[in-house]
Amino acid sequence: MTAISERIHQAAGVVVPGSAEYRELLASIAEGASARDLDDTNPFDQIDALRSAGFGALRLPTSVGGGGLTIRELFAVIIDVAEADPIVAHILRTHYWFVEERLRQATAAGYQGLENDRWISLILQGKIFGNASSERGSEAVGNFKYGTRITASGDRFLLDGEKFYSTGTLFSDYVSVWADVDGTAVASVIVPTDRDGVEIVDDWDGFGQRRTGTGTTRFHDVEVTEADIVSHIPLDAPPEPSYQFAFLQLYLHGLISGILRSVVSDAVELVAGRSRGFSHGPSAELNRDPLLQNSIGTLASTAFAAEAVTLAAADAIDAAYASLDDAVPDAELAAQASLRTSQAKVHVDEIATRAATALFELGGASAASRAKNLDRHWRNIRTISLHNPASYKASAVGNHLLNSEPLPFNGYF
């Protein structure tokens, strides 16, 4: 355990966003982030530091020992962490979704017994929950058809299958698995990552978000108890309104917003560190060069716009969460959350990749130095934005506005 995480671990409660301890923790995560990217180093120490600081419990009510943050406030933290290191922030995506699911289901009982809930207790203990949902193969993404299966075997269940894009699972204590049940339903199963039969392979080879543990997870005769199954959904059941998919999608744009902050700070540093310009340039003093000033001003405005749009969409998710009645949100507010999140993606994806490219115009050929590693911003943004095509989002939004067609309903939209 690092010195900073050990000290925070000894403090009571969850580190308060904006506090001196919070800023110090983020600074420790930012330190060496570029070098970790260059060296392909997994950020185990940084995840442990966030774990010890209670970051996994930021959304839980203060009455049970959590941070009590709203969804908007949580996204502000996600942006802060992504500015420090987007790899670290991305690892926690499924964890925060899992927390949201526990909070949503707790509304069915009016939050009664929350302090005795098994999963809430584990979250408060600092346990991290990872992801095993997506699978490779010919099935269309988002159709809830899985090759991974859970089957009955006497008085127990067995889980078998293989998942990919298991972001965060390499760093997690538990993994959330979607599995087929007899071809008639899907179940969400939570198992410890160290349970017999669970194999985590660090084989993600993307050019961006390299060390997020986004690789293969295999399950071979993994024993599952009734208590490990948190949901069971018949495939023919009509879908209930949900803001959870919007939460998962907007999280990615929280990451991009944080990266854009780093693009701006690196742009300023790049210009400040240059000792020469061009003989035909408008100013010998580069900080006085109106073209460079314009470029940095544009980058800063882009970063502000991305963050503002992301937080505005988070407000829509907050409204849907506030409307929960017996674990189901108001249908109109849930649809609005999905719409705002989709609109955010269409806009942010375009301006962010453009900004990450424009950064190089401020430094000339030297900006391409591998040691500077400025390309990591473009690589990370481009990889994050590839999760779901923006063109499909834009088309669906247009169809909704023109023809009142509902937006697609699955975890990949």
Side-chain angles (χ1 to χ4, degrees):
M1 184 180 292
T2 62
I4 184 170
S5 66
E6 183 175 12
R7 180 171 59 77
I8 292 172
H9 183 68
Q10 293 169 352
V14 177
V15 168
V16 178
S19 65
E21 292 82 4
Y22 178 82
R23 292 191 296 272
E24 185 180 353
L25 176 58
L26 291 179
S28 76
I29 291 171
E31 184 178 1
S34 178
R36 289 192 297 273
D37 179 89
L38 277 172
D39 299 338
D40 250 2
T41 301
N42 282 317
F44 287 110
D45 288 345
Q46 289 68 34
I47 292 296
D48 283 344
L50 292 181
R51 181 201 306 272
S52 297
F55 268 58
L58 286 172
R59 274 282 289 146
L60 296 183
T62 55
S63 60
V64 299
L69 300 191
T70 65
I71 291 174
R72 180 192 177 96
E73 290 168 341
L74 175 66
F75 270 86
V77 169
I78 292 164
I79 293 170
D80 286 346
V81 178
E83 179 184 14
D85 187 342
I87 305 297
V88 172
H90 200 166
I91 287 167
L92 296 175
R93 180 180 176 228
T94 300
H95 174 85
Y96 285 126
W97 167 82
F98 180 76
V99 174
E100 283 305 310
E101 272 294 278
R102 306 286 68 74
L103 289 173
R104 180 186 67 82
Q105 294 189 7
T107 63
Y111 295 105
Q112 297 300 313
L114 197 63
E115 66 278 2
N116 297 319
D117 182 276
R118 171 193 179 190
W119 307 114
I120 298 297
S121 296
L122 289 170
I123 293 166
L124 289 168
Q125 291 169 29
K127 303 301 183 184
I128 302 297
F129 291 78
N131 144 68
S133 298
S134 298
E135 298 179 359
R136 286 170 158 170
S138 59
E139 290 289 352
V141 175
N143 68 2
F144 299 106
K145 292 183 180 180
Y146 299 111
T148 301
R149 300 182 181 280
I150 182 170
T151 55
S153 178
D155 58 354
R156 59 179 181 158
F157 299 94
L158 295 177
L159 178 67
D160 291 274
E162 180 173 304
K163 300 287 188 175
F164 197 64
Y165 301 116
S166 306
T167 303
T169 297
L170 182 68
F171 306 84
S172 301
D173 304 286
Y174 290 81
V175 57
S176 173
V177 189
W178 283 102
D180 175 85
V181 182
D182 297 328
T184 61
V186 293
S188 178
V189 181
I190 313 298
V191 296
T193 53
D194 61 358
R195 184 169 287 179
D196 288 346
V198 178
E199 179 187 6
I200 301 170
V201 185
D202 194 8
D203 59 348
W204 165 241
D205 64 351
F207 59 69
Q209 297 300 97
R210 288 274 303 143
R211 307 320 310 168
T212 53
T214 306
T216 301
T217 306
R218 298 189 181 101
F219 305 92
H220 179 67
D221 287 345
V222 178
E223 291 196 17
V224 174
T225 69
E226 285 276 8
D228 296 331
I229 303 174
V230 294
S231 67
H232 181 277
I233 306 171
L235 290 175
D236 59 358
E240 293 182 334
S242 174
Y243 59 86
Q244 294 287 41
F245 300 147
F247 180 96
L248 277 168
Q249 296 307 314
L250 188 64
Y251 195 102
L252 300 172
H253 294 87
L255 301 178
I256 291 176
S257 297
I259 295 171
L260 285 174
R261 284 187 186 174
S262 295
V263 168
V264 175
S265 59
D266 278 354
V268 172
E269 184 178 339
L270 192 59
V271 172
R274 286 179 62 183
S275 58
R276 64 174 185 168
F278 291 89
S279 60
H280 53 279
S283 174
E285 297 179 86
L286 295 181
N287 62 317
R288 301 294 181 186
D289 186 323
L291 297 179
L292 298 181
Q293 291 174 346
N294 179 279
S295 295
I296 288 178
T298 299
L299 289 177
S301 301
T302 297
F304 171 76
E307 185 170 338
V309 167
T310 298
L311 293 178
D315 283 335
I317 300 176
D318 253 325
Y321 171 77
S323 74
L324 284 170
D325 182 12
D326 197 19
V328 179
D330 175 82
E332 185 174 336
L333 291 176
Q336 185 76 353
S338 180
L339 175 63
R340 294 293 178 237
T341 297
S342 300
Q343 291 172 316
K345 177 179 175 63
V346 172
H347 176 63
V348 172
D349 279 8
E350 180 181 353
I351 65 172
T353 50
R354 192 164 65 237
T357 299
L359 170 62
F360 293 96
E361 300 295 333
L362 297 165
S366 63
S369 166
R370 190 73 186 98
K372 284 185 169 63
N373 199 25
L374 294 177
D375 62 299
R376 74 187 188 280
H377 300 315
W378 185 92
R379 288 187 288 106
N380 287 330
I381 289 172
R382 181 70 276 198
T383 300
I384 292 167
S385 67
L386 289 173
H387 276 68
N388 303 283
S391 57
Y392 286 171
K393 294 273 190 178
S395 180
V397 169
N399 192 20
H400 171 72
L401 295 176
L402 284 171
N403 305 309
S404 299
E405 186 72 25
L407 295 173
F409 184 82
N410 64 69
Y412 300 90
F413 184 86

